[in-house]
Amino acid sequence: MHYILTIILLVTSIYAKAKEFSVVIDEPFNNSLLDVTENHDRTVSAVGFVKTQNNITSKKGTTYTNAFDYLSSISNTHGSQIHLVKVDNQANITLRKSVKLQNFNEPVSILKTPEDGHYIGGYTLDGSLLILKLDQNGNTIFTKVFGTSNYDKMSNLVLLKDGGVLAIGSSATTRSQNDKLFESGLGLNDIFISRFSKDGAKLWSKKFGTEHDDKGVDAVEANDGSIVVLSQTNYDRFKNISIMRLTENGDKTWLHHYKNEKLTTPYKIIKLKNNNFVVSLSQEDEMHKQQIRLIKFDIQKNILLDKTIHTTYASALRDIKEYSDSKLIGVGYVSDTYNRDGLAMLLDSEFNMLQQEHFGEENYDEFSAVKILHNSQAVAVGVHTDKESQESNMWLVKLNKDISIAQIAPKVTDFYKELCRVFKDEIKSHKLTIKEDLSIRFIDKNLYFKTAQYILTEDQEKFLNIFAKKLFPFLYAHKVFINTLEINGHTSSEWAETNFTSNYLLNEKLSMNRSYHTLAYMFKNQDIETQNWLSSIIKGSGLSYSKRVMFDEKEDKEKSRRVSFKIILK
């Protein structure tokens, strides 16, 4: 049976009604989402900032003798506060909460805790570093404020294998002999790294850098517990990068400095599954246009691959992640003279571009971070600016693995209603029933199995042909939402002259045979393309007599000898 043409042409009402998974949160003034993670219940949490008003204001009745004193009194009344957003699979915002701190602040990253809460890393706008631990409802468990006596800024917060975190950023040079951490700075700004235990205790803080202006950008933990750090050095008109390896105690093992005459900006470092590393950069070309550059290297700083990805417009990947098949997804921006769009790019393990997509309108849009989800979809966050607006908004977009924008998952009730519509004739003629949990049971007596039998009858085969011709195109049309199609075999509890153990095991084998023969008949009658798709979702199992059909508290043995189906959504 060749259903592919039917499948391609079939567009059901659920799919037609489906909307793109793009969430824009509009608040007064500029705001943004900066990082995102997935929760245990498959929702996603993103962190960003919104503008708010400081409750600490000047006293009423104060008289100012000059404008400068007055402006000073109101200069810190408005600023940023860390903002947590949680979004479910239907693109509903289920939680929004600002973390109220005395000083204005912004986040840089969000991490999961084992308790399904979050670590949030950030900094105050007056120069302190922050680590917050929140529960799953966004309530603050603890707040760590740390740093030097100078102006500090965090770039990223990294989760370590021991449950602790590593904060990386920059610190202004200190010349104070009273600073217990340093007697003197290394340059204008230095790389600043602090390590904390899983209980929030600071284990160490260290500075690194050159006589120039240095900034810690990102870091990642290697398999042996050492830490590989990505940093940036600014001098004259150049921005060059450095990669440094530290022991778990923060002692420098090696440093590799990449000098060139082209403006280079580092964004992200990740560890691959093969224990090598990839750095994402942007670098000016001969036309002074930023292009994507990716470098792969090993733990001994040997360069394995260095590739520039040339695009028509200026572009950069601000974040990259690796799929289980070694492909990479990157997000960032692409821009021309008048417009900037969010950029998503799919690459193979050799950094060959497989696909790229631009997202946004005729204004300023950009992605800051991406997270690969459990089902191989990804979620990207950043900023979106409406066409006629001058203010940026928080933005969250879910992507399929081919980096097309995902559709909002249908509600189970909507899916149930559409499934009932597809099988309305079979329901009306009492061939089958469908429950709201998307389970399907045959109820025509000609579709039950005889005692101890599992070979399909002519009536069963005939109905399975009709059933498959409707079910498979329906599932394929909604394949982005389908996780599993279960085919379960069942038996009655009877088995003559056996003990309990033999009774159960013989019925288990019989139920598995019923499931297998039903699955095999439906599967082998499809063309190869349909079979390839079915192999990714179909699951056969035998349930023995654990799900017997009961009537008036008595087993209906005839109706118990059956197969059933269940659709499980992502």
Side-chain angles (χ1 to χ4, degrees):
M1 299 179 187
H2 300 280
Y3 298 145
I4 293 301
L5 181 59
T6 305
I7 291 171
I8 293 173
L9 295 177
L10 180 62
V11 180
T12 65
S13 61
I14 293 178
Y15 200 78
K17 293 177 183 177
K19 296 181 180 179
E20 292 182 340
F21 202 115
S22 177
V23 179
V24 177
I25 304 172
D26 188 2
E27 287 284 341
F29 310 109
N30 290 323
N31 51 83
S32 173
L33 290 178
L34 297 166
D35 199 13
V36 63
T37 190
E38 185 176 24
N39 301 310
H40 295 172
D41 63 0
R42 308 310 194 188
T43 60
V44 295
S45 289
V47 69
F49 63 84
V50 296
K51 301 296 183 179
T52 187
Q53 182 174 357
N54 198 331
N55 293 325
I56 303 174
T57 58
S58 58
K59 296 180 180 180
K60 292 183 179 180
T62 302
T63 301
Y64 297 95
T65 57
N66 63 70
F68 295 104
D69 289 340
Y70 173 72
L71 290 173
S72 177
S73 72
I74 64 172
S75 62
N76 293 318
T77 58
H78 290 84
S80 303
Q81 289 282 7
I82 293 171
H83 195 71
L84 179 69
V85 177
K86 186 179 289 188
V87 178
D88 67 16
N89 287 329
Q90 278 70 48
N92 299 310
I93 299 171
T94 60
L95 177 67
R96 288 188 59 187
K97 183 173 285 189
S98 289
V99 180
K100 300 293 185 181
L101 299 177
Q102 184 176 4
N103 298 320
F104 294 123
N105 55 87
E106 291 187 8
V108 296
S109 59
I110 183 169
L111 306 170
K112 289 302 299 178
T113 66
E115 303 82 16
D116 200 27
H118 303 96
Y119 287 116
I120 293 177
Y123 56 94
T124 65
L125 299 188
D126 60 354
S128 295
L129 305 179
L130 296 170
I131 296 178
L132 308 176
K133 186 175 183 180
L134 310 179
D135 66 19
Q136 59 185 326
N137 296 315
N139 301 309
T140 302
I141 297 174
F142 66 67
T143 301
K144 299 290 181 180
V145 181
F146 62 102
T148 70
S149 59
N150 304 291
Y151 183 86
D152 301 326
K153 186 174 182 180
M154 191 183 298
S155 299
N156 201 10
L157 188 68
V158 181
L159 187 64
L160 304 174
K161 290 184 291 186
D162 64 2
V165 293
L166 188 82
I168 179 168
S170 60
S171 177
T173 298
T174 173
R175 298 294 177 184
S176 171
Q177 297 296 322
N178 297 322
D179 191 321
K180 297 180 180 179
L181 196 57
F182 315 104
E183 291 184 358
S184 63
L186 304 173
L188 301 176
N189 279 290
D190 299 315
I191 302 164
F192 184 50
I193 303 176
S194 296
R195 181 168 185 160
F196 290 80
S197 71
K198 63 182 180 180
D199 300 319
K202 187 169 70 172
L203 302 179
W204 51 261
S205 289
K206 294 191 177 183
K207 265 189 177 183
F208 306 89
T210 67
E211 69 273 19
H212 303 294
D213 192 7
D214 299 296
K215 172 187 175 183
V217 175
D218 197 12
V220 67
E221 186 178 23
N223 273 5
D224 62 358
S226 62
I227 298 164
V228 182
V229 178
L230 173 66
S231 62
Q232 175 179 296
T233 299
N234 300 339
Y235 57 95
D236 298 329
R237 61 175 296 273
F238 303 115
K239 289 184 179 180
N240 289 335
I241 69 163
S242 296
I243 300 173
M244 176 173 57
R245 185 182 176 196
L246 309 177
T247 68
E248 61 183 53
N249 296 317
D251 300 322
K252 185 167 64 177
T253 302
W254 53 254
L255 171 68
H256 191 93
H257 192 58
Y258 295 84
K259 292 183 178 180
N260 61 52
E261 296 182 355
K262 297 178 179 179
L263 181 65
T264 304
T265 303
Y267 291 108
K268 189 69 179 178
I269 182 171
I270 63 169
K271 182 174 72 71
L272 302 175
K273 285 183 288 297
N274 63 7
N275 301 321
N276 292 323
F277 304 88
V278 173
V279 168
S280 177
L281 318 165
S282 67
Q283 182 172 289
E284 274 192 354
D285 61 14
E286 291 73 13
M287 303 299 293
H288 302 291
K289 180 176 63 178
Q290 290 294 307
Q291 298 283 13
I292 297 165
R293 180 182 174 193
L294 298 173
I295 300 175
K296 184 188 297 185
F297 62 97
D298 63 19
I299 192 67
Q300 300 301 332
K301 67 182 177 182
N302 299 305
I303 303 299
L304 307 177
L305 181 61
D306 188 343
K307 188 170 184 176
T308 300
I309 301 172
H310 296 280
T311 54
T312 304
Y313 302 105
S315 56
L317 297 180
R318 298 177 64 88
D319 193 13
I320 53 174
K321 294 292 189 300
E322 183 187 24
Y323 283 103
S324 58
D325 62 2
S326 298
K327 292 178 181 176
L328 299 171
I329 183 174
V331 300
Y333 66 84
V334 56
S335 62
D336 58 22
T337 306
Y338 307 103
N339 182 44
R340 176 172 286 200
D341 287 332
L343 171 66
M345 188 174 287
L346 185 66
L347 307 157
D348 67 17
S349 59
E350 298 300 310
F351 304 155
N352 298 307
M353 184 173 66
L354 305 176
Q355 187 72 26
Q356 69 166 321
E357 295 289 345
H358 301 174
F359 300 88
E361 297 181 0
E362 296 179 5
N363 216 322
Y364 187 94
D365 305 284
E366 182 176 332
F367 291 135
S368 300
V370 66
K371 171 70 176 179
I372 296 176
L373 305 177
H374 70 285
N375 60 358
S376 294
Q377 290 182 317
V379 60
V381 296
V383 297
H384 168 75
T385 311
D386 294 331
K387 187 175 181 180
E388 304 301 328
S389 175
Q390 299 302 311
E391 294 178 353
S392 61
N393 302 314
M394 292 177 279
W395 191 26
L396 183 149
V397 177
K398 188 175 285 189
L399 304 173
N400 297 317
K401 192 174 179 182
D402 63 0
I403 66 174
S404 62
I405 191 166
Q407 303 295 304
I408 295 174
K411 296 179 181 178
V412 175
T413 53
D414 293 337
F415 210 93
Y416 164 73
K417 291 176 183 178
E418 187 61 22
L419 194 61
C420 289
R421 188 194 66 79
V422 171
F423 288 104
K424 62 181 180 180
D425 293 337
E426 289 74 21
I427 294 172
K428 185 176 181 180
S429 61
H430 302 289
K431 296 289 186 181
L432 57 78
T433 61
I434 302 175
K435 293 184 177 180
E436 291 190 5
D437 66 354
L438 305 183
S439 60
I440 305 171
R441 183 164 68 90
F442 297 163
I443 57 174
D444 187 329
K445 65 179 182 180
N446 294 319
L447 303 178
Y448 298 137
F449 289 88
K450 300 296 183 182
T451 304
Q453 296 299 308
Y454 56 83
I455 302 298
L456 297 175
T457 66
E458 185 178 342
D459 286 339
Q460 288 172 320
E461 289 181 348
K462 183 178 179 180
F463 184 75
L464 286 173
N465 289 338
I466 298 171
F467 180 69
K469 193 171 183 178
K470 292 186 175 183
L471 180 65
F472 291 165
F474 173 80
L475 296 180
Y476 190 90
H478 304 94
K479 62 180 180 178
V480 296
F481 308 128
I482 304 299
N483 186 68
T484 307
L485 171 63
E486 292 184 350
I487 302 178
N488 298 312
H490 305 267
T491 72
S492 59
S493 61
E494 60 195 312
W495 204 283
E497 300 178 1
T498 60
N499 58 35
F500 177 82
T501 302
S502 297
N503 188 333
Y504 173 79
L505 293 177
L506 288 170
N507 274 296
E508 174 65 14
K509 183 177 181 180
L510 177 60
S511 66
M512 291 177 66
N513 280 331
R514 287 172 176 170
S515 170
Y516 171 76
H517 279 264
T518 301
L519 185 156
Y521 181 78
M522 297 174 71
F523 187 85
K524 70 182 181 182
N525 286 328
Q526 313 306 313
D527 59 67
I528 187 63
E529 189 172 351
T530 305
Q531 287 180 344
N532 284 335
W533 162 68
L534 283 172
S535 67
S536 67
I537 67 164
I538 204 165
K539 173 186 175 183
S541 61
L543 299 180
S544 190
Y545 50 77
S546 62
K547 304 292 183 182
R548 290 169 287 174
V549 177
M550 308 298 290
F551 183 74
D552 287 342
E553 299 183 356
K554 293 183 180 180
E555 178 184 0
D556 188 324
K557 295 181 179 180
E558 181 185 27
K559 293 181 178 179
S560 294
R561 299 190 290 265
R562 70 199 190 278
V563 290
S564 65
F565 298 78
K566 186 168 185 179
I567 301 164
I568 300 174
L569 303 181
K570 292 180 179 177

